[in-house]
Each structure stands twice: as structure tokens, then as C-alpha cells.
Amino acid sequence: MSQAEIKDFEYACHSHEEALGSKVFWIIAIVIILSSVGNFYIFSNYKKLVATSIHDQIFLNFIFFAGSLSNGAFRIIWGFTLRHVGFHMVYFTAIAMNTVVFTLLPYFITHKSQQGYFIFFTLSCIVQGGHMIIFSNVCTLVFRSYIG
């Protein structure tokens, strides 16, 4: 979306109802859902994915703890990068990282690698934190602070 389209659009929506009925809102919603559904699946099933290969519950709890910390810490980095590099490059990086992470998932599960699963889960949390930062900034840019 070009800056001219954003400027035209930001003055077109002056209420939540107009924003919810707009094409831009639904495009943003579909993109965030499609790019986040894999990460949400991993977060809700992180113990079940490796139930047959990693039996150390303390280690699995540590993985979730480290993933949560990395999610929060990297939101600052994603926001800083978004401000200096722009939406397209940051979103491309997030999608590329997501692709690599989910391509390697079967390897980490079948090879019973605790270190690999730790890296996988932590990167998945980092990417998910980036998605939330990217799209909250896009919504604020498009709909402005009085709507977004």
C-alpha cells in the first residue's frame, strides 16, 4: 500500500464501523491470521509435539519460559527495526523466519533434539512477537490513533 493510498484512506474512516467495513481492515485481518496460525498451533501444543521424544517436563517448561521472554524482548527490536527499515522488509523477514522455522520442525521432532527444539520454539516466539508489533503499527498508521 502506497503512502498516497494510506493518506486517502485515513481520512475516509472516521468511526469504528467504517473501519470494520473497509477492505483494508479485512486484508490486514486475513494476513495476520494466515501468518500467525502456525505459531498459535505451536504455542498451544508445544508439549504434545514432542511427547514421544522429549520426556523432561522441566526442560519443556524452561522452553516455554525462554520463548515467552524472547517474545517480549524481541518486540522492542521488531518495533525499532520497523521504524527504521519499513513494513515490507520487516514483514518479509518475519515470513522468511517463519518459513525456515516450520521447514525445520519435522527434523527437530524426529531427531529428538532438545537443543533444536529449544531453538525452534524460541524462534517461533520471536516471529510471533514480530507479527503483533508489525500489525499494530500498520493499523495505527492506516486507521490513525482515533480509530486504531
Side-chain angles (χ1 to χ4, degrees):
M1 180 178 295
S2 70
Q3 291 294 339
E5 290 172 324
I6 291 172
K7 285 191 174 212
D8 290 341
F9 184 77
E10 74 183 53
Y11 297 111
C13 293
H14 293 290
S15 69
H16 288 93
E17 292 80 19
E18 289 179 26
L20 288 174
S22 69
K23 183 174 105 175
V24 172
F25 172 79
W26 290 106
I27 290 171
I28 291 171
I30 289 169
V31 167
I32 190 68
I33 288 168
L34 291 177
S35 59
S36 298
V37 72
N39 293 326
F40 288 135
Y41 174 76
I42 295 299
F43 300 155
S44 61
N45 295 304
Y46 79 101
K47 284 187 178 181
K48 293 176 188 172
L49 286 171
V50 292
T52 59
S53 58
I54 300 175
H55 302 289
D56 187 0
Q57 291 298 312
I58 294 172
F59 179 74
L60 291 174
N61 290 336
F62 174 73
I63 285 176
F64 196 80
F65 171 74
S68 298
L69 284 180
S70 62
N71 181 310
F74 272 85
R75 286 183 184 216
I76 297 167
I77 295 169
W78 283 111
F80 179 79
T81 308
L82 182 67
R83 186 173 296 257
H84 292 287
V85 177
F87 169 78
H88 295 290
M89 182 58 82
V90 172
Y91 188 62
F92 174 76
T93 303
I95 293 298
M97 285 176 66
N98 231 6
T99 303
V100 168
V101 164
F102 283 99
T103 302
L104 295 175
L105 174 62
Y107 175 79
F108 294 137
I109 291 175
T110 58
H111 285 83
K112 303 177 182 180
S113 169
Q114 286 187 340
Q115 294 81 9
Y117 192 66
F118 174 78
I119 292 168
F120 161 77
F121 190 79
T122 305
L123 284 176
S124 183
C125 290
I126 290 169
V127 171
Q128 185 59 32
H131 280 46
M132 297 302 120
I133 291 298
I134 291 167
F135 286 101
S136 63
N137 284 335
V138 167
C139 285
T140 303
L141 178 68
V142 172
F143 298 114
R144 289 292 168 203
S145 60
Y146 54 86
I147 295 176

